[in-house]
Amino acid sequence: MPDTALGLLRRLETGPRGLTDTEAAARLAALGENTPAPLAGPSWPRRCARALRDPFTALLLTLGLVSACVASWRTAAVILALVAVSCALRVTGERRADRALAALRGLVTGTATVLRRTDRAAEPRAREVPVADLVPGDVVRLGPGDLVPADLTLLRARGLTVREDVLTGESAPVPKHAAEPPEPGTDAQLCFQGCAVVTGSATAVVVETGPRTRFAAAQRAPVRREPSAFDRSVHGISWVLVRFVLLTPPLVLMAAAALHGRGVATLPFAVAVAVGLTPEMLPVIVTTCLARAAALLARTHQVVVRRLPALHDLGAVDVLCVDKTGTLTRNRPVVAAALGPDGRTDPEVLRWAAVGAWWTLQLADPPAPDALDEALLNAAGPVGEEYDGVAALPFDPAHRVATAVVAGSGLGRHVLVTKGAVEDVLDRCALPEDEHRRLLGLAARQAEDGLRVLAVATAERPAAVRPYRAADARGLTFRGLVGFRDELAPGAAEALRELTALGVTVHVLTGDHPATAARVCRDLGLDVGEVGTASTAMAAGGTGGVRIVARCTPEDKARIVGGLREAGHTVGFLGDGVNDVPALHAADVGIAPRDAVGVARESADVVLGRKDLTAIGHAVVAGRHSSANIASYLRVTLSSNLGNVLAMLAAGLLLPFLPMLPSQVLAQNLCFDAAQLAFAHDRPDRAALRRPTRLRPPAFLRFITGFGLLNAVADLATFAVLALAPHGDAALDDRVLFHSAWFTENLLTQALVMVLLRTGRRVAGRRRPGPIGWSAAALAAAGLMIPLSPLGAALRMTGLPAVHYLLLAVVLGVYALALAVARARHDRRRSEDGPSQPWVQP
């Protein structure tokens, strides 16, 4: 049973007269200041350690240390430099994003009016004290425009309404009253820190401060955040490859020891082969792609990416969950209909409602104009000034009506104009019972159509000589109904259509009535799909069109987002209130606008310069751009490297000598890695940006295995050619010739793979080579020129006889044709199977 007011005051060891200064100081020293615990960002060492948890980065670090242990200093230096560059880029990017948000942070500040006494015998005095100095047991006073300074229980209240959008996301004022005894299961007698008083006044006692308030509790993530789509997909692929990389050196060593008796001597070669299989440039390319896209978004669209991998997750998003209020609408009502008692349009209804709104604003002088009154005046134009205002009784949450009194047309006559909740206005009208029910049904149909309905009634009375009271609004004549809808956010319809065209399904999660949310979507010209409430069972995937889930609590939003992720979707969530923090943490990508509450911004991965869905579309495209380039790098480097490693293992078993010297393997890897830096600057085809991109480990591994085997076949064909080809110069060492020819063939095949296995781009689709074309050409030139150069001599390579170049050209031509055919079959099968099958869902 909730505490009565007296019981609560006794439990808090206070009273209606408030605390003494000594008591307040003692409690402040014991409990601390009334400020939420700040959300500190990770330190530099913590960020670096988090960057090193990436599987490929950790593997590179291990291989670098192994290379140092076997005195392969050049290899160790190159690998460790790559690790350091990758960590520095990632940490610097995240720190830059945090600095960009430093100016946006804001916590509850200001002063509060509190009753304090100098000692127990003194009379209490109302004084202004800093909000941070409030303690449980303080008695505070609230008025219009005040910010609730702590969690309070009301002792007395008169006409109090409070906006709780900072906690719930809904901006409609919530009536509050001091019930005695308190109503169980409701918050009507509670006010929470950070909420704003709209109307009325109250006296309340502080029950919780600082980190114990509901505002502060909402800042703490309820559960540990699950890995994002980027983390899950890359880690799934990474650990498979890591196991293969760790297995490769022992296989090479055992084969060399068993067949040729040179196990220990093969250790540098085995390490070089493991490095050759590892996509050592992945951390650099991933970070460069994401950092360039994040910088471009911040510069051109004011979108701050606080966590770089979130940009890849944005590219993979196929479901975007948004709130209705403030996202699809501008948090401001507009008049949609004015109906007479017969249900037909009647301008007089709007005129009388606007007259009442005008004189309520003029005579009651509220601290802030009522949103519905503003909407009435905007729709009706200049009305009300033709009357003389007499009195105004502003909206009372207890009676749910507002009344304005104006001078009538006759001498000594006054007209009462009453507007408010339909049931309360009809109760004040002189109507037969059946007419009362009919009008309630008319209002209900308007509400079912998604309108917020206001009833209007008037009455002409003799001029009163005493002040008017709420009880005077009786025996009214019913004039009609005014329906309001939320004003649509400019650009929301176009932005949602663009997101739909990008393959992103929009889910509206709102605390409003289902009909209200559906009406907003229809007004935006959107195709409304499944509509339900958080309490009803709805399929995780939903049907076509915008999916609406109404009557959502913060826990419901987080649960729905989690259910979508469990169903295999990559989910983005746009939220701006404390109530959205659980869902922001539950989503793959949490998105918040700049004007969101501080905790929502701190919880988000992406912060928008303004609450504009168009900016999300730009961010999604930028994420897909980066993801397509990262996918291109992965598919090219892993399929090529896998083919080379398989060929090297086969050659190690067939040849009486090492198929390639460790220094040659590392030189080849260095050339290939340098060429692949171009992927960070590539421009994918537009087709790759039209649908969500997501790495799918099983399909991806099948892809690199198939094309890796094709590459290995090309290498083995090169072995056969070299074995059967005439050796022109008898003085030419077979080993030198083999190493030189295979070095050249490897770089030429890798150049072909770069061009033919890019994501979403065919060779015929480009008029200009672009960065990948030029880089592949440079790689091919390196393969042909290095064996002829002094560097080739230092690496123990030499130029090939002319016949060898001719034979290699034949092998490469056949390989290029087979690669193009295999790529065409892969693309055709992917388009036939639909978006659920490809390794990257473009």
Side-chain angles (χ1 to χ4, degrees):
M1 183 74 179
D3 282 340
T4 62
L6 182 60
L8 177 64
L9 292 174
R10 287 177 176 172
R11 182 168 59 83
L12 294 172
E13 298 180 359
T14 185
R17 304 171 68 201
L19 299 173
T20 66
D21 291 336
T22 303
E23 291 171 336
R27 297 188 185 192
L28 183 64
L31 299 175
E33 291 189 343
N34 178 35
T35 55
L39 296 174
S43 61
W44 276 88
R46 190 178 184 86
R47 292 180 190 270
C48 290
R50 191 167 59 187
L52 288 174
R53 287 205 303 266
D54 176 82
F56 282 133
T57 305
L59 178 61
L60 281 176
L61 181 62
T62 302
L63 291 175
L65 296 176
V66 170
S67 299
C69 291
V70 298
S72 185
W73 303 113
R74 294 180 182 178
T75 305
V78 171
I79 295 175
L80 295 177
L82 289 175
V83 172
V85 169
S86 173
C87 291
L89 285 173
R90 177 168 176 171
V91 171
T92 302
E94 292 181 355
R95 292 279 292 184
R96 186 183 297 114
D98 286 347
R99 286 197 300 270
L101 288 172
L104 304 177
R105 294 189 179 97
L107 296 174
V108 178
T109 57
T111 61
T113 302
V114 61
L115 294 180
R116 291 273 178 89
R117 298 173 289 164
T118 55
D119 55 56
R120 288 188 173 274
E123 289 297 317
R125 295 179 57 189
R127 66 179 76 169
E128 295 289 322
V129 301
V131 167
D133 292 346
L134 288 181
V135 295
D138 266 328
V139 176
V140 300
R141 290 177 176 173
L142 300 175
D146 286 347
L147 200 66
V148 178
D151 283 1
L152 313 174
T153 295
L154 296 175
L155 301 176
R156 294 183 299 277
R158 183 169 181 266
L160 185 68
T161 61
V162 177
R163 282 184 54 171
E164 296 184 338
D165 52 332
V166 68
L167 291 172
T168 66
E170 298 302 326
S171 60
V174 178
K176 298 287 185 177
H177 56 273
E180 190 65 32
E183 300 173 5
T186 71
D187 292 336
Q189 70 276 12
L190 303 178
C191 292
F192 302 106
Q193 184 183 50
C195 300
V197 177
V198 179
T199 61
S201 60
T203 301
V205 60
V206 175
V207 293
E208 296 290 358
T209 60
R212 295 166 296 280
T213 63
R214 185 174 295 191
F215 180 89
Q219 300 187 34
R220 297 186 286 270
V223 293
R224 184 178 179 181
R225 186 166 191 167
E226 294 294 326
S228 67
F230 179 80
D231 297 329
R232 294 194 305 269
S233 57
V234 171
H235 285 201
I237 295 168
S238 300
W239 287 115
V240 173
L241 296 174
V242 164
R243 295 185 187 100
F244 190 81
V245 169
L246 296 178
L247 185 63
T248 300
L251 287 176
V252 173
L253 293 174
M254 287 188 295
L259 298 177
H260 309 294
R262 56 172 193 275
V264 177
T266 313
L267 180 59
F269 174 73
V271 172
V273 170
V275 173
L277 181 61
T278 305
E280 57 264 33
M281 294 299 292
L282 178 63
V284 176
I285 288 179
V286 167
T287 307
T288 303
C289 286
L290 298 179
R292 290 182 71 247
L296 182 64
L297 281 173
R299 186 170 62 252
T300 58
H301 300 294
Q302 298 180 338
V303 176
V304 178
V305 180
R306 301 186 66 236
R307 185 178 61 87
L308 282 182
L311 194 56
H312 172 87
D313 295 335
L314 269 175
V317 162
D318 59 346
V319 174
L320 176 66
C321 296
V322 300
D323 192 11
K324 174 188 70 66
T325 306
T327 303
L328 305 182
T329 64
R330 294 190 64 182
N331 203 9
R332 189 166 62 191
V334 294
V335 173
L339 306 177
D342 58 358
R344 298 179 181 178
T345 301
D346 186 353
E348 279 296 296
V349 177
L350 178 60
R351 189 182 73 83
W352 278 116
V355 168
W358 171 261
W359 285 110
T360 300
L361 291 174
Q362 297 301 312
L363 299 178
D365 192 23
D370 182 78
L372 295 182
D373 286 346
E374 285 191 321
L376 289 169
L377 294 173
N378 289 334
V383 296
E385 297 184 14
E386 66 271 23
Y387 297 95
D388 292 328
V390 176
L393 304 174
F395 180 83
D396 183 355
H399 301 99
R400 301 198 302 169
V401 296
T403 300
V405 183
V406 298
S409 56
L411 185 63
R413 306 292 289 180
H414 288 171
V415 178
L416 281 68
V417 184
T418 299
K419 55 185 176 59
V422 176
E423 296 87 348
D424 294 81
V425 171
L426 288 175
D427 288 343
R428 287 164 172 77
C429 294
L431 293 170
E433 185 64 28
D434 57 345
E435 181 67 4
H436 188 281
R437 288 195 301 269
R438 188 187 68 82
L439 292 174
L440 280 177
L442 176 62
R445 289 192 294 274
Q446 299 301 310
E448 289 171 359
D449 196 33
L451 296 181
R452 183 176 177 182
V453 184
L454 199 69
V456 183
T458 63
E460 188 170 342
R461 304 283 172 77
V465 295
R466 58 172 176 75
Y468 279 93
R469 297 172 298 180
D472 293 326
R474 295 288 177 181
L476 306 176
T477 300
F478 183 75
R479 290 286 183 174
L481 304 171
V482 180
F484 299 85
R485 61 171 174 80
D486 292 329
E487 182 179 0
L488 304 179
E494 180 182 356
L496 288 176
R497 283 193 291 269
E498 290 178 357
L499 286 170
T500 302
L502 291 171
V504 178
T505 302
V506 177
H507 289 68
V508 179
L509 310 183
T510 178
D512 274 352
H513 190 279
T516 303
R519 168 110 191 185
V520 168
C521 292
R522 287 195 298 269
D523 289 342
L524 287 168
L526 303 174
D527 179 22
V528 178
E530 190 175 3
V531 180
T533 63
S535 60
T536 60
M538 298 178 69
T543 58
V546 176
R547 184 170 181 249
I548 298 171
V549 185
R551 303 300 192 196
C552 282
T553 65
E555 294 75 17
D556 290 330
K557 293 180 180 180
R559 176 177 55 79
I560 292 168
V561 169
L564 288 167
R565 292 186 67 192
E566 290 177 1
H569 295 280
T570 304
V571 185
F573 182 85
L574 174 62
D576 61 355
V578 175
N579 63 306
D580 294 321
V581 170
L584 288 169
H585 280 277
D588 290 289
V589 187
I591 308 169
R594 182 181 61 186
D595 56 357
V597 297
V599 63
R601 291 195 305 269
E602 297 291 346
S603 302
D605 302 305
V606 177
V607 177
L608 309 179
R610 53 188 180 275
K611 197 166 187 178
D612 182 6
L613 290 176
T614 305
I616 298 180
H618 292 303
V620 167
V621 171
R624 293 181 185 180
H625 189 143
S626 300
S627 298
N629 287 343
I630 294 169
S632 289
Y633 167 76
L634 282 173
R635 70 194 303 178
V636 166
T637 191
L638 291 178
S639 59
S640 179
N641 289 354
L642 179 61
N644 288 339
V645 167
L646 293 176
M648 285 185 182
L649 291 175
L653 297 175
L654 298 174
L655 298 177
F657 53 85
L658 292 177
M660 191 175 288
L661 299 179
S663 59
Q664 295 167 352
V665 174
L666 294 175
Q668 171 190 291
N669 291 339
L670 183 61
C671 291
F672 193 28
D673 291 339
Q676 290 183 103
L677 286 174
F679 282 112
H681 304 273
D682 191 22
R683 299 187 65 180
D685 187 66
R686 292 182 180 178
L689 308 178
R690 292 175 184 166
R691 285 182 287 178
T693 56
R694 180 178 176 183
L695 289 172
R696 298 185 180 275
F700 174 73
L701 293 172
R702 286 196 300 271
F703 178 92
I704 64 170
T705 301
F707 283 92
L709 290 174
L710 185 59
N711 184 275
V713 170
D715 288 342
L716 293 174
T718 303
F719 297 166
V721 166
L722 294 176
L724 299 176
H727 289 175
D729 185 356
L732 191 63
D733 189 342
D734 286 348
R735 297 185 182 186
V736 174
L737 182 63
F738 184 92
H739 293 161
S740 304
W742 199 14
F743 182 89
T744 299
E745 186 268 347
N746 273 340
L747 291 187
L748 292 177
T749 56
Q750 288 168 339
L752 285 173
V753 169
M754 286 182 64
V755 174
L756 295 176
L757 292 189
R758 293 171 58 212
T759 299
R761 179 75 77 178
R762 295 176 176 82
V763 178
R766 298 262 340 194
R767 295 182 178 179
R768 298 180 180 178
I772 298 300
W774 290 116
S775 185
L779 182 63
L784 293 171
M785 299 304 298
I786 287 178
L788 300 172
S789 68
L791 178 59
L795 294 173
R796 300 181 186 178
M797 292 189 294
T798 185
L800 303 177
V803 67
H804 283 68
Y805 286 113
L806 179 60
L807 293 173
L808 289 178
V810 172
V811 173
L812 290 171
V814 174
Y815 174 64
L817 179 61
L819 196 62
V821 171
R823 169 67 191 273
R825 291 185 58 189
H826 172 269
D827 292 342
R828 184 169 59 254
R829 184 171 60 253
R830 183 179 63 187
S831 62
E832 293 173 354
D833 291 341
S836 62
Q837 296 300 322
W839 67 277
V840 171
Q841 186 177 326

